[in-house]
Amino acid sequence: MTDILIYITSGFGALFVLLAAIGTLRMPDQYLRISVNTKAATLGVGLLLISAALFFLETSVTTRVLAVIIFIFITAPVGAHLIGRTSYFLGNKLWGKSITDDLKDKYNKSTHELRAHNKEDEKEIGQHNQDEDS
Amino acid sequence: MNVHDFLYYIILPILSISSLLVFVRFFQGPSIVDRVVALDLLITIGIGIIAIYSIINDKPTFLDISLVLALIAFLGTVAFAYYLEKRNKND
């Protein structure tokens, strides 16, 4: 019974990791590559680690595996967000067939801060920036 | 075909092929962001390979290394993102 579960989890884990690798190679755009990297690879590695926990069936191993899985699940989106933000500031273009760019003209290019939508917010942000300068 | 053979002859080759594919993207990546993402994915695949390797050799001690690798991958990505943004800001 345990063997069947190990077959299933390790098989699907390897499949998702392979899909993530193919996606990293074939996707046309940095942002799509980052998306593939966070979702598919995290799921695949989580399944592979679960297969290790199923094989050993000890408390110490299961605890370690859970720690690794939780750590990856927390850190993967944070790292992806940071690197995607950096990629946007570096001026990397979106794929030609992308439909919307919600952040277009909303970032201040020099200070990397979000611009305000309406006039009142703009005043507040302007005052805030002056306070920082003085 | 027992679990050992299945992992040794099917799962490990699949993981090796996927790490080779990521290496191609690592070498030809048009911008430095692609290389950082590919490096992150390489370390993540390394964690999976360590998990399978510990099953094959029946040594659960190897799983400690995967925790360290996960930490290094996250810190590397954050550091690269931070300094790339700083470099762009100062120009």
Side-chain angles (χ1 to χ4, degrees), chain B residues 14-90:
Chain B
I14 290 177
L15 292 177
S16 315
I17 289 169
S18 50
S19 68
L20 271 180
L21 292 177
V22 179
F23 250 117
V24 173
R25 172 54 70 191
F26 179 74
F27 280 118
Q28 78 173 18
S31 78
I32 194 165
V33 175
D34 287 316
R35 296 207 166 94
V36 176
V37 172
L39 195 67
D40 194 24
L41 188 54
L42 271 181
I43 299 179
T44 313
I45 293 174
I47 294 171
I49 290 177
I50 286 173
I52 298 300
Y53 201 75
S54 74
I55 297 178
I56 289 174
N57 285 320
D58 206 0
K59 286 196 175 103
T61 320
F62 287 147
L63 287 170
D64 292 339
I65 307 166
S66 65
L67 193 55
V68 178
L69 272 186
L71 191 64
I72 289 175
F74 176 61
L75 286 181
T77 310
V78 171
F80 268 119
Y82 183 76
Y83 283 111
L84 284 176
E85 194 186 329
K86 284 281 176 193
R87 188 184 69 175
N88 186 35
K89 220 170 173 178
N90 289 336

Side-chain angles (χ1 to χ4, degrees), chain A:
Chain A
M1 183 61 201
T2 318
D3 283 358
I4 297 170
L5 280 177
I6 291 174
Y7 286 138
I8 293 172
T9 50
S10 61
F12 273 107
L15 192 67
F16 276 112
V17 170
L18 183 66
L19 283 178
I22 293 172
T24 313
L25 194 62
R26 294 284 301 158
M27 279 289 184
D29 186 1
Q30 266 103 10
Y31 307 101
L32 295 173
R33 277 177 216 138
I34 292 168
S35 150
V36 165
N37 186 359
T38 41
K39 287 170 200 139
T42 308
L43 180 59
V45 170
L47 284 173
L48 287 178
L49 285 166
I50 286 174
S51 74
L54 285 174
F55 180 80
F56 290 111
L57 282 181
E58 295 170 25
T59 315
S60 61
V61 177
T62 312
T63 317
R64 253 176 276 172
V65 164
L66 277 182
V68 178
I69 289 175
I70 290 173
F71 187 80
I72 292 176
F73 266 58
I74 291 174
T75 57
V78 176
H81 172 239
L82 278 172
I83 200 71
R85 190 170 178 270
T86 307
S87 171
Y88 197 81
F89 285 139
L90 287 178
N92 289 322
K93 294 276 185 295
L94 266 72
W95 185 31
K97 289 180 185 172
S98 296
I99 297 173
T100 56
D101 179 8
D102 284 339
L103 286 176
K104 196 176 186 185
D105 296 333
K106 282 188 182 173
Y107 265 118
N108 190 338
K109 286 282 179 190
S110 56
T111 60
H112 290 185
E113 281 174 354
L114 276 175
R115 284 210 185 110
H117 283 289
N118 47 25
K119 290 282 170 62
E120 291 181 7
D121 288 351
E122 218 159 42
K123 272 182 195 169
E124 284 181 7
I125 288 178
Q127 282 176 355
H128 183 65
N129 286 342
Q130 281 176 0
D131 291 347
E132 277 187 349
D133 291 341
S134 61

